[in-house]
Amino acid sequence: MGEDGARADGVRVLVTGGTSGLGAAMAAALLDAGARVAVTGRDGDRARAAAERLGPGAAGIGMDVRDEGSVARGVEETFGVLGGLDVLVNNAGIGMRTVNPRFLSDPQPFWAVSPDGFRDLVATDLTGYFLVAREVVPRLLAAGGGRVVNVSMNHSTMNRRGFVPYGPARAGAEALSRIMAADLTGSPVTVNVLLPGGATATGMIPDDLPAEHRAALLPPEVVAAPIRWLCSPAAAGVHDQRIVATQFADWLAGQVRRR
């Protein structure tokens, strides 16, 4: 457990894109805090293998967030396996290396990006957040409440040279989050945004990144404490907040002082 001391005993959480990277780190942290977690991936076998690695309390579910039929089936399976749902963590995404494997050392201009690559990344990183939330939130409202956490990234990365389409897709997902929060204000469902606060050591980082830069990457576990807290009783009623994991301790202390 982290210094925040948050527990999430019995909380049922769906983490999309939970087979590796930030998703796997959040799933592991939540399981450690007592939650039950379903992790998704496009490949159902890979998702189930990831759940086995995570251990008791984890379930793996095949879900392609680009496709509403797959999302509907995956959410239905999640509710069946977990017996309901309390928190959706929208995390599934693909990175710049899918359109430019050397995007850090050799950034390409937007006009060099293939239309198919652009569409696939936006379909995953932006439309996927919409499709999963669209399927889950009405169920949370019908059940009397729940929470949505949308994973984002630094604002500076959203408009960084050579970051089309990843930057625009994540900027769109953050705007979507704010609108979701506005639409749900006054309801029993909360929406918040969580981001690491810097480049993170995940599969999205290109293989040719120099060792000195790789050493400066944040570990995926940087999101562990804030996601535990966001899924805990302590975060009840917290709504429309943008939480930066590297600044979480100070942010949380400020919340406590204001109460």
Side-chain angles (χ1 to χ4, degrees), residues 151-196:
V151 175
S152 186
M153 65 179 186
N154 286 344
H155 286 149
S156 60
T157 308
M158 294 176 184
N159 52 28
R160 182 174 176 175
R161 173 176 174 253
F163 269 60
V164 167
Y166 185 68
R170 284 306 195 199
E174 188 150 323
L176 173 66
S177 302
R178 300 303 303 274
I179 295 170
M180 286 170 56
D183 288 346
L184 288 164
T185 295
S187 83
V189 176
T190 62
V191 180
N192 293 287
V193 172
L194 173 63
L195 59 149

Short mmCIF file of all heavy atoms in Angstrom, two decimals, residues 151-196:
data_model
loop_
_atom_site.label_atom_id
_atom_site.label_comp_id
_atom_site.label_asym_id
_atom_site.label_seq_id
_atom_site.Cartn_x
_atom_site.Cartn_y
_atom_site.Cartn_z
N VAL A 151 -7.94 8.27 -18.30
CA VAL A 151 -6.49 8.49 -18.27
C VAL A 151 -6.10 9.45 -19.39
O VAL A 151 -6.54 9.29 -20.54
CB VAL A 151 -5.74 7.16 -18.39
CG1 VAL A 151 -4.23 7.39 -18.49
CG2 VAL A 151 -6.06 6.27 -17.18
N SER A 152 -5.28 10.44 -19.07
CA SER A 152 -4.88 11.44 -20.03
C SER A 152 -3.36 11.61 -19.99
O SER A 152 -2.64 10.74 -19.52
CB SER A 152 -5.60 12.77 -19.75
OG SER A 152 -5.34 13.73 -20.75
N MET A 153 -2.88 12.77 -20.48
CA MET A 153 -1.45 13.03 -20.51
C MET A 153 -1.23 14.53 -20.38
O MET A 153 -2.17 15.32 -20.38
CB MET A 153 -0.83 12.53 -21.82
CG MET A 153 -1.33 13.26 -23.04
SD MET A 153 -0.55 12.64 -24.53
CE MET A 153 -1.20 13.82 -25.72
N ASN A 154 0.03 14.94 -20.28
CA ASN A 154 0.36 16.35 -20.12
C ASN A 154 -0.17 17.19 -21.28
O ASN A 154 -0.13 16.77 -22.44
CB ASN A 154 1.88 16.55 -20.04
CG ASN A 154 2.45 16.11 -18.72
OD1 ASN A 154 1.73 15.93 -17.74
ND2 ASN A 154 3.77 15.94 -18.67
N HIS A 155 -0.63 18.40 -20.96
CA HIS A 155 -1.11 19.30 -22.00
C HIS A 155 -0.02 19.61 -23.02
O HIS A 155 -0.29 19.76 -24.22
CB HIS A 155 -1.63 20.60 -21.38
CG HIS A 155 -2.95 20.45 -20.70
ND1 HIS A 155 -3.32 21.18 -19.60
CD2 HIS A 155 -4.00 19.61 -20.95
CE1 HIS A 155 -4.53 20.83 -19.21
NE2 HIS A 155 -4.96 19.88 -20.01
N SER A 156 1.23 19.72 -22.56
CA SER A 156 2.32 20.05 -23.49
C SER A 156 2.51 18.98 -24.56
O SER A 156 2.91 19.28 -25.69
CB SER A 156 3.63 20.26 -22.72
OG SER A 156 3.98 19.08 -22.01
N THR A 157 2.22 17.73 -24.22
CA THR A 157 2.37 16.65 -25.18
C THR A 157 1.28 16.70 -26.24
O THR A 157 1.48 16.23 -27.37
CB THR A 157 2.34 15.29 -24.46
OG1 THR A 157 3.28 15.31 -23.39
CG2 THR A 157 2.68 14.14 -25.40
N MET A 158 0.14 17.28 -25.89
CA MET A 158 -0.98 17.31 -26.83
C MET A 158 -0.70 18.17 -28.06
O MET A 158 -1.30 17.97 -29.11
CB MET A 158 -2.23 17.83 -26.12
CG MET A 158 -2.74 16.90 -25.03
SD MET A 158 -4.14 17.62 -24.17
CE MET A 158 -4.42 16.38 -22.89
N ASN A 159 0.22 19.13 -27.92
CA ASN A 159 0.52 19.98 -29.09
C ASN A 159 2.01 19.96 -29.44
O ASN A 159 2.54 20.91 -30.00
CB ASN A 159 0.05 21.42 -28.86
CG ASN A 159 0.56 22.00 -27.55
OD1 ASN A 159 1.61 21.60 -27.05
ND2 ASN A 159 -0.19 22.93 -26.99
N ARG A 160 2.65 18.84 -29.12
CA ARG A 160 4.07 18.70 -29.40
C ARG A 160 4.33 18.39 -30.86
O ARG A 160 3.56 17.65 -31.51
CB ARG A 160 4.63 17.57 -28.53
CG ARG A 160 6.12 17.33 -28.67
CD ARG A 160 6.59 16.30 -27.66
NE ARG A 160 8.01 15.98 -27.83
CZ ARG A 160 8.69 15.18 -27.03
NH1 ARG A 160 8.09 14.64 -25.98
NH2 ARG A 160 9.96 14.93 -27.26
N ARG A 161 5.40 18.95 -31.40
CA ARG A 161 5.79 18.70 -32.78
C ARG A 161 5.91 17.20 -33.05
O ARG A 161 6.50 16.46 -32.27
CB ARG A 161 7.12 19.39 -33.07
CG ARG A 161 7.73 19.08 -34.43
CD ARG A 161 8.98 19.89 -34.65
NE ARG A 161 9.65 19.51 -35.89
CZ ARG A 161 10.77 18.80 -35.96
NH1 ARG A 161 11.39 18.42 -34.85
NH2 ARG A 161 11.29 18.50 -37.13
N GLY A 162 5.34 16.76 -34.16
CA GLY A 162 5.45 15.36 -34.55
C GLY A 162 4.49 14.43 -33.84
O GLY A 162 4.60 13.22 -34.00
N PHE A 163 3.54 14.97 -33.08
CA PHE A 163 2.65 14.11 -32.29
C PHE A 163 1.23 14.01 -32.84
O PHE A 163 0.27 13.83 -32.10
CB PHE A 163 2.63 14.57 -30.82
CG PHE A 163 3.67 13.90 -29.97
CD1 PHE A 163 5.01 14.02 -30.27
CD2 PHE A 163 3.31 13.11 -28.89
CE1 PHE A 163 5.98 13.41 -29.49
CE2 PHE A 163 4.26 12.49 -28.11
CZ PHE A 163 5.61 12.63 -28.41
N VAL A 164 1.09 14.11 -34.14
CA VAL A 164 -0.18 13.79 -34.81
C VAL A 164 -0.13 12.32 -35.20
O VAL A 164 0.85 11.87 -35.81
CB VAL A 164 -0.38 14.67 -36.07
CG1 VAL A 164 -1.51 14.14 -36.94
CG2 VAL A 164 -0.66 16.11 -35.67
N PRO A 165 -1.18 11.54 -34.77
CA PRO A 165 -2.46 11.96 -34.21
C PRO A 165 -2.61 11.77 -32.70
O PRO A 165 -3.68 12.00 -32.15
CB PRO A 165 -3.44 11.04 -34.94
CG PRO A 165 -2.66 9.75 -35.09
CD PRO A 165 -1.22 10.17 -35.29
N TYR A 166 -1.55 11.34 -32.01
CA TYR A 166 -1.67 11.02 -30.58
C TYR A 166 -2.07 12.25 -29.76
O TYR A 166 -2.98 12.18 -28.92
CB TYR A 166 -0.35 10.44 -30.08
CG TYR A 166 -0.39 9.96 -28.65
CD1 TYR A 166 -1.15 8.86 -28.29
CD2 TYR A 166 0.35 10.60 -27.66
CE1 TYR A 166 -1.18 8.40 -26.99
CE2 TYR A 166 0.34 10.15 -26.35
CZ TYR A 166 -0.43 9.05 -26.02
OH TYR A 166 -0.46 8.60 -24.73
N GLY A 167 -1.41 13.39 -30.01
CA GLY A 167 -1.73 14.59 -29.25
C GLY A 167 -3.18 15.02 -29.42
O GLY A 167 -3.90 15.22 -28.43
N PRO A 168 -3.67 15.18 -30.65
CA PRO A 168 -5.06 15.57 -30.83
C PRO A 168 -6.05 14.56 -30.25
O PRO A 168 -7.10 14.95 -29.72
CB PRO A 168 -5.21 15.66 -32.36
CG PRO A 168 -3.83 15.94 -32.85
CD PRO A 168 -2.92 15.19 -31.92
N ALA A 169 -5.75 13.27 -30.36
CA ALA A 169 -6.66 12.26 -29.82
C ALA A 169 -6.78 12.37 -28.30
O ALA A 169 -7.87 12.31 -27.73
CB ALA A 169 -6.20 10.86 -30.21
N ARG A 170 -5.63 12.56 -27.62
CA ARG A 170 -5.67 12.68 -26.16
C ARG A 170 -6.27 14.01 -25.73
O ARG A 170 -6.95 14.09 -24.70
CB ARG A 170 -4.26 12.51 -25.59
CG ARG A 170 -3.78 11.06 -25.57
CD ARG A 170 -4.75 10.16 -24.87
NE ARG A 170 -4.16 8.87 -24.54
CZ ARG A 170 -4.86 7.78 -24.27
NH1 ARG A 170 -6.18 7.81 -24.30
NH2 ARG A 170 -4.27 6.64 -23.96
N ALA A 171 -6.04 15.07 -26.51
CA ALA A 171 -6.69 16.34 -26.21
C ALA A 171 -8.21 16.19 -26.32
O ALA A 171 -8.97 16.71 -25.49
CB ALA A 171 -6.19 17.43 -27.16
N GLY A 172 -8.65 15.47 -27.35
CA GLY A 172 -10.07 15.22 -27.51
C GLY A 172 -10.64 14.41 -26.36
O GLY A 172 -11.75 14.67 -25.88
N ALA A 173 -9.88 13.42 -25.89
CA ALA A 173 -10.35 12.59 -24.78
C ALA A 173 -10.47 13.41 -23.51
O ALA A 173 -11.37 13.19 -22.69
CB ALA A 173 -9.41 11.41 -24.57
N GLU A 174 -9.57 14.38 -23.33
CA GLU A 174 -9.66 15.22 -22.14
C GLU A 174 -10.86 16.16 -22.23
O GLU A 174 -11.57 16.38 -21.25
CB GLU A 174 -8.37 16.00 -21.92
CG GLU A 174 -8.38 16.73 -20.60
CD GLU A 174 -7.00 16.89 -19.99
OE1 GLU A 174 -6.16 15.98 -20.11
OE2 GLU A 174 -6.78 17.94 -19.39
N ALA A 175 -11.11 16.72 -23.42
CA ALA A 175 -12.30 17.54 -23.61
C ALA A 175 -13.56 16.70 -23.39
O ALA A 175 -14.53 17.16 -22.75
CB ALA A 175 -12.31 18.15 -25.01
N LEU A 176 -13.55 15.48 -23.90
CA LEU A 176 -14.67 14.57 -23.68
C LEU A 176 -14.90 14.36 -22.19
O LEU A 176 -16.05 14.35 -21.72
CB LEU A 176 -14.39 13.23 -24.37
CG LEU A 176 -15.38 12.10 -24.11
CD1 LEU A 176 -16.74 12.43 -24.69
CD2 LEU A 176 -14.85 10.79 -24.71
N SER A 177 -13.83 14.20 -21.43
CA SER A 177 -13.95 13.99 -20.00
C SER A 177 -14.64 15.16 -19.31
O SER A 177 -15.48 14.98 -18.43
CB SER A 177 -12.56 13.77 -19.37
OG SER A 177 -11.90 12.68 -19.96
N ARG A 178 -14.24 16.37 -19.68
CA ARG A 178 -14.83 17.55 -19.06
C ARG A 178 -16.32 17.65 -19.40
O ARG A 178 -17.13 18.04 -18.55
CB ARG A 178 -14.11 18.82 -19.52
CG ARG A 178 -12.62 18.86 -19.19
CD ARG A 178 -12.36 18.70 -17.69
NE ARG A 178 -13.02 19.70 -16.89
CZ ARG A 178 -12.53 20.91 -16.60
NH1 ARG A 178 -11.35 21.28 -17.07
NH2 ARG A 178 -13.21 21.75 -15.83
N ILE A 179 -16.69 17.30 -20.63
CA ILE A 179 -18.10 17.35 -21.02
C ILE A 179 -18.88 16.24 -20.32
O ILE A 179 -20.02 16.45 -19.87
CB ILE A 179 -18.23 17.26 -22.55
CG1 ILE A 179 -17.60 18.50 -23.19
CG2 ILE A 179 -19.70 17.14 -22.96
CD1 ILE A 179 -17.46 18.42 -24.69
N MET A 180 -18.28 15.04 -20.22
CA MET A 180 -18.92 13.97 -19.47
C MET A 180 -19.20 14.41 -18.04
O MET A 180 -20.29 14.17 -17.49
CB MET A 180 -18.02 12.73 -19.46
CG MET A 180 -17.97 11.97 -20.77
SD MET A 180 -16.67 10.68 -20.78
CE MET A 180 -17.13 9.72 -19.34
N ALA A 181 -18.21 15.07 -17.42
CA ALA A 181 -18.38 15.54 -16.05
C ALA A 181 -19.51 16.56 -15.97
O ALA A 181 -20.33 16.54 -15.03
CB ALA A 181 -17.08 16.14 -15.54
N ALA A 182 -19.57 17.47 -16.95
CA ALA A 182 -20.64 18.48 -16.95
C ALA A 182 -22.00 17.81 -17.12
O ALA A 182 -22.97 18.17 -16.43
CB ALA A 182 -20.39 19.49 -18.07
N ASP A 183 -22.08 16.83 -18.02
CA ASP A 183 -23.34 16.14 -18.26
C ASP A 183 -23.81 15.37 -17.02
O ASP A 183 -25.02 15.17 -16.82
CB ASP A 183 -23.21 15.17 -19.42
CG ASP A 183 -23.12 15.86 -20.77
OD1 ASP A 183 -23.42 17.07 -20.85
OD2 ASP A 183 -22.75 15.18 -21.76
N LEU A 184 -22.86 14.92 -16.19
CA LEU A 184 -23.19 14.09 -15.04
C LEU A 184 -23.21 14.87 -13.73
O LEU A 184 -23.45 14.29 -12.67
CB LEU A 184 -22.20 12.93 -14.94
CG LEU A 184 -22.40 11.85 -16.01
CD1 LEU A 184 -21.19 10.95 -16.11
CD2 LEU A 184 -23.67 11.03 -15.73
N THR A 185 -22.96 16.17 -13.78
CA THR A 185 -23.02 16.98 -12.55
C THR A 185 -24.41 16.89 -11.95
O THR A 185 -25.42 17.01 -12.64
CB THR A 185 -22.68 18.46 -12.87
OG1 THR A 185 -21.31 18.53 -13.29
CG2 THR A 185 -22.87 19.33 -11.64
N GLY A 186 -24.45 16.65 -10.65
CA GLY A 186 -25.73 16.48 -9.96
C GLY A 186 -26.24 15.06 -9.95
O GLY A 186 -27.24 14.76 -9.30
N SER A 187 -25.54 14.16 -10.65
CA SER A 187 -25.92 12.75 -10.68
C SER A 187 -25.05 11.98 -9.69
O SER A 187 -24.09 12.52 -9.14
CB SER A 187 -25.73 12.18 -12.09
OG SER A 187 -24.37 11.79 -12.30
N PRO A 188 -25.35 10.70 -9.46
CA PRO A 188 -24.52 9.90 -8.56
C PRO A 188 -23.28 9.30 -9.22
O PRO A 188 -22.61 8.47 -8.63
CB PRO A 188 -25.47 8.80 -8.09
CG PRO A 188 -26.40 8.60 -9.24
CD PRO A 188 -26.58 9.96 -9.86
N VAL A 189 -22.97 9.72 -10.44
CA VAL A 189 -21.80 9.22 -11.15
C VAL A 189 -20.78 10.36 -11.30
O VAL A 189 -21.12 11.44 -11.77
CB VAL A 189 -22.16 8.68 -12.55
CG1 VAL A 189 -20.90 8.26 -13.31
CG2 VAL A 189 -23.10 7.48 -12.41
N THR A 190 -19.55 10.11 -10.87
CA THR A 190 -18.49 11.12 -10.96
C THR A 190 -17.54 10.80 -12.10
O THR A 190 -17.39 9.64 -12.50
CB THR A 190 -17.69 11.21 -9.65
OG1 THR A 190 -17.06 9.94 -9.40
CG2 THR A 190 -18.60 11.56 -8.48
N VAL A 191 -16.88 11.83 -12.61
CA VAL A 191 -15.90 11.69 -13.68
C VAL A 191 -14.66 12.49 -13.31
O VAL A 191 -14.77 13.67 -12.96
CB VAL A 191 -16.43 12.19 -15.04
CG1 VAL A 191 -15.38 12.02 -16.13
CG2 VAL A 191 -17.71 11.46 -15.42
N ASN A 192 -13.49 11.87 -13.37
CA ASN A 192 -12.24 12.55 -13.11
C ASN A 192 -11.19 12.12 -14.12
O ASN A 192 -11.33 11.08 -14.79
CB ASN A 192 -11.75 12.24 -11.68
CG ASN A 192 -12.67 12.83 -10.63
OD1 ASN A 192 -12.69 14.03 -10.41
ND2 ASN A 192 -13.45 11.97 -9.97
N VAL A 193 -10.14 12.92 -14.26
CA VAL A 193 -9.05 12.66 -15.18
C VAL A 193 -7.79 12.37 -14.37
O VAL A 193 -7.50 13.04 -13.39
CB VAL A 193 -8.81 13.88 -16.10
CG1 VAL A 193 -7.55 13.69 -16.94
CG2 VAL A 193 -10.02 14.10 -16.99
N LEU A 194 -7.04 11.36 -14.81
CA LEU A 194 -5.77 11.00 -14.17
C LEU A 194 -4.69 10.90 -15.23
O LEU A 194 -4.91 10.32 -16.29
CB LEU A 194 -5.91 9.65 -13.44
CG LEU A 194 -4.63 9.04 -12.86
CD1 LEU A 194 -4.05 9.93 -11.77
CD2 LEU A 194 -4.92 7.64 -12.30
N LEU A 195 -3.52 11.47 -14.95
CA LEU A 195 -2.39 11.37 -15.87
C LEU A 195 -1.11 11.17 -15.08
O LEU A 195 -1.00 11.60 -13.93
CB LEU A 195 -2.28 12.61 -16.74
CG LEU A 195 -2.10 13.95 -16.05
CD1 LEU A 195 -1.27 14.90 -16.95
CD2 LEU A 195 -3.47 14.60 -15.79
N PRO A 196 -0.12 10.50 -15.69
CA PRO A 196 1.13 10.23 -14.96
C PRO A 196 1.88 11.50 -14.57
O PRO A 196 2.43 11.60 -13.47
CB PRO A 196 1.94 9.38 -15.93
CG PRO A 196 0.95 8.84 -16.90
CD PRO A 196 -0.13 9.86 -17.01
#
